[in-house]
Amino acid sequence: DDLLNSGRVAIKEYYPSGLVTRMPGNTAVEVNSSYEQYAKGKDKFLQEARIIYHCHNEHILHIFSLFEENGTAYYVMEFLDGGDLRHYIKAHGNKLSWDELKPFILQVMDALIQVHADGIIHRDISPDNIYISGGNSAKLIDFGAARSLAGDKSMSVILKKGYAPPEQYQTRGRHGPWTDVYALGGTMFRALTGEMPIESVERIRNDTLRPPSSYGVKL
């Protein structure tokens, strides 16, 4: 609980399994593997937090503060009740109608407008990274794969099969807002049809993806 503002918050700690340990009674972590690897991971953890911290939109997870302490790093974020869209879909018969899905998708689109305007691409849009709160509000989470459009054009390969567009299969693929748009389209397809989209690279060779309307989806 946040005793100052009388509200609940969540705290995320950088604690990579296998790289650090914490002795009982101690708050500081002990690095028991490659410190260079540990430090690199901590920098990435803080980079993700800074990206979210500077994105001000009601449909993006809100971070209140980030700091380093105990030999590691933390960020304090809003407490969310509910679950991700993947579990929400499963709990509603493994697929949603367009009327059920539409409010969530519009909210995520609103969040992406802000993200892209800030020169950031998320690169990991999927049902796992859209959080549905108890009040039926969608929030975009997990910016661990996010990158600045103004940064290095060589990007790490981030793949979530069915949602990743062709450029994400290449270290020097041309990424942009369209990268997130494709992934959001794949997310919509999965939610509406109950089936995983065909991998984008397979569609290049032989596109057998059926439109949602052929599944009886009304939109």
Side-chain angles (χ1 to χ4, degrees):
D1 289 340
D2 181 348
L3 300 180
L4 182 63
N5 298 307
S6 301
R8 300 184 72 185
V9 296
I11 301 176
K12 186 172 183 177
E13 178 186 50
Y14 175 64
Y15 191 89
S17 178
L19 291 184
V20 297
T21 55
R22 176 180 278 124
M23 299 300 292
N26 291 340
T27 56
V29 299
E30 297 181 13
V31 181
N32 54 23
S33 186
S34 167
Y35 186 82
E36 182 180 352
Q37 183 181 357
Y38 173 76
K40 187 176 181 180
K42 187 173 70 170
D43 287 344
K44 186 177 179 182
F45 176 89
L46 288 170
Q47 178 190 29
E48 175 190 4
R50 290 188 189 101
I51 288 173
I52 306 173
Y53 182 80
H54 291 292
C55 287
H56 302 293
N57 186 284
E58 63 177 317
H59 299 298
I60 297 174
L61 177 68
H62 184 66
I63 290 182
F64 301 107
S65 63
L66 56 153
F67 57 94
E68 295 186 56
E69 190 66 64
N70 302 325
T72 186
Y74 303 84
Y75 59 81
V76 183
M77 56 189 171
E78 64 179 310
F79 179 84
L80 298 177
D81 61 336
D84 61 45
L85 181 60
R86 180 170 66 90
H87 286 93
Y88 186 92
I89 293 169
K90 285 186 176 181
H92 290 75
N94 203 40
K95 60 182 178 180
L96 304 177
S97 70
W98 172 237
D99 286 340
E100 291 172 317
L101 180 65
K102 182 180 177 181
F104 301 142
I105 292 301
L106 290 179
Q107 291 168 9
V108 174
M109 287 179 174
D110 183 59
L112 282 176
I113 288 172
Q114 181 66 59
V115 170
H116 295 157
D118 290 341
I120 301 294
I121 45 176
H122 187 282
R123 298 205 307 156
D124 198 15
I125 304 292
S126 72
D128 294 314
N129 291 332
I130 296 171
Y131 201 92
I132 309 300
S133 72
N136 280 339
S137 175
K139 286 186 182 284
L140 190 57
I141 62 172
D142 198 346
F143 282 69
R147 289 293 182 273
S148 169
L149 286 169
D152 186 355
K153 299 303 180 185
S154 176
M155 295 191 179
S156 57
V157 174
I158 301 292
L159 284 182
K160 195 164 280 182
K161 294 181 178 180
Y163 305 106
E167 63 266 23
Q168 284 190 269
Y169 286 77
Q170 307 164 351
T171 55
R172 291 193 176 273
R174 185 167 172 261
H175 296 228
W178 51 86
T179 303
D180 290 339
V181 171
Y182 184 95
L184 185 60
T187 297
M188 294 167 66
F189 184 91
R190 166 65 185 87
L192 292 169
T193 67
E195 293 188 7
M196 282 291 295
I198 299 167
E199 281 192 73
S200 59
V201 287
E202 294 298 324
R203 296 184 64 201
I204 293 173
R205 291 190 284 267
N206 180 30
D207 192 357
T208 59
L209 189 75
R210 294 164 49 198
S213 57
S214 70
Y215 291 82
V217 177
K218 297 178 180 179
L219 54 103

